Amino acid sequence: QVQLVESGGGLVQAGGSLTLSCVASGNIFGINVMGWYRQAPGKQRELVAQVTIGGSRNYADSVKGRFTISRDKNNVHLQMNSLKPEDAAVYYCSATIFSASVMDYWGEGTLVTVSS
């Protein structure tokens, strides 16, 4: 069974920084794309950043220059700098994993709160 577990959310003042981490575990043969999504109250879930197995990175326009995604084996991290109140959301880790089959997996989410 494959699991994604996030950590690192919390409360931070506007302008501050947080680092989110996610580890994938279980019967994993390989991982293609790993990424972070977020969902704020009353809004749709949106892509924040993703990184492919080859190292290609993609960011939402709203976080370019402030957030950095990195990956190490089955771990993915999101360094978030210069946080703004509009960055507050539940952040979800996602990964396309080769296990018994190829599937997209999601973590349960970690809450990021940004005070103004």
Side-chain angles (χ1 to χ4, degrees):
Q1 185 176 356
V2 174
Q3 280 190 319
L4 298 180
V5 178
E6 303 104 333
S7 61
L11 172 64
V12 64
Q13 286 189 333
S17 298
L18 277 177
T19 300
L20 305 182
S21 296
C22 172
V23 57
S25 62
N27 187 27
I28 298 172
F29 297 118
I31 303 177
N32 189 0
V33 180
M34 300 189 82
W36 290 94
Y37 289 72
R38 68 186 180 187
Q39 188 167 18
K43 295 189 177 181
Q44 289 188 332
R45 190 173 298 190
E46 63 175 356
L47 174 68
V48 176
Q50 60 184 13
V51 55
T52 69
I53 191 172
S56 297
R57 291 168 173 80
N58 182 40
Y59 295 94
D61 288 342
S62 60
V63 306
K64 284 180 181 177
R66 300 188 298 120
F67 291 13
T68 302
I69 190 169
S70 62
R71 176 174 173 172
D72 175 24
K73 294 182 180 179
N74 291 359
N75 300 278
V76 64
H77 310 281
L78 186 68
Q79 174 67 44
M80 306 185 293
N81 297 327
S82 303
L83 282 160
K84 304 175 181 180
E86 51 263 43
D87 294 318
V90 177
Y91 282 71
Y92 297 90
C93 175
S94 176
T96 302
I97 296 177
F98 300 86
S99 182
S101 60
V102 179
M103 288 181 58
D104 291 332
Y105 291 86
W106 293 85
E108 293 188 349
T110 185
L111 179 64
V112 172
T113 304
V114 184
S115 63
S116 56

